Amino acid sequence: MRRIVRGAALVGACTITMAGCGGDRPPEESPAARLTAAVLSVQDMPPDFLPAQDQRVFGRLRPADRDCRRLLRLADLRGLRDVPIPPQAHAVFYRTSPGSTLAEHLLALGPGGAQRHIEEARQAAAGCPQMRIGRGDGKVRLHRTPLAVPGFEDNAYGLRYTRRLSPRYSIHFDMVMAQQGARLLVVEQPALIDRRHRTKGDSTRLIAAVALRKLVTATSVQSPVPLGGPATRGS
């Protein structure tokens, strides 16, 4: 029971909101308008999710390893460098049982900026095969595994850090990133998983697939390179 509470506290440390900003152009030409069309709504989510406020879902976590800290910063979009504030849109939801917080972030960075962000996440993940959270008796070690998105197995970069806390409960830190045209999509979810009812908690892949379909429909363009492909300098 003590281990379950510790895992729940880790999930509870990750919180959330909704925001967005637009440009001065007419809606039909505005990157922000297209981003808004690709934002997840309550109707896109499992019925036990509720809307929440926008915030960094991994913001309170401090992994011991520098690459792991860098990866969580990139997932929370705190790793953007040398770019102006881009048009962006966000949607965040939470579930109380089992506890989880899911955030979708959309930014119009340009193909170079989006690819560069994903490549930096790849590099950070390569240096973070395990993620150690906490200290002393409260330390938890999570292991990295790939996270494939149904229908977008070759077009989205996804990974999961997971740890079984007890015969019944596990914890997941999930991240999915994709580039579609000039847009960067990030879907992230720290979640406590009830292994007796996995369909209630293990939902990141399916929700990310919905977000990607909405983004493809909203942009109506094909990516010039595979989503999440090698980064190129420039925009």
Side-chain angles (χ1 to χ4, degrees), residues 139-151:
K139 184 166 63 179
V140 175
R141 190 185 303 268
L142 297 94
H143 299 272
R144 186 191 67 209
T145 62
L147 186 67
V149 179

Side-chain angles (χ1 to χ4, degrees), residues 44 61 91 117 144 181 200:
D44 298 315
L61 297 178
H117 190 86
R144 186 191 67 209
K200 286 200 65 179

Side-chain angles (χ1 to χ4, degrees), residues 79-117:
L80 297 173
R81 296 183 298 186
D82 302 325
V83 295
I85 297 175
Q88 56 189 282
H90 309 271
V92 187
F93 306 87
Y94 75 98
R95 170 172 32 209
T96 58
S97 180
S100 71
T101 295
L102 183 137
E104 176 196 23
H105 307 294
L106 287 162
L107 289 85
L109 291 177
Q115 293 168 31
R116 183 163 56 250
H117 190 86

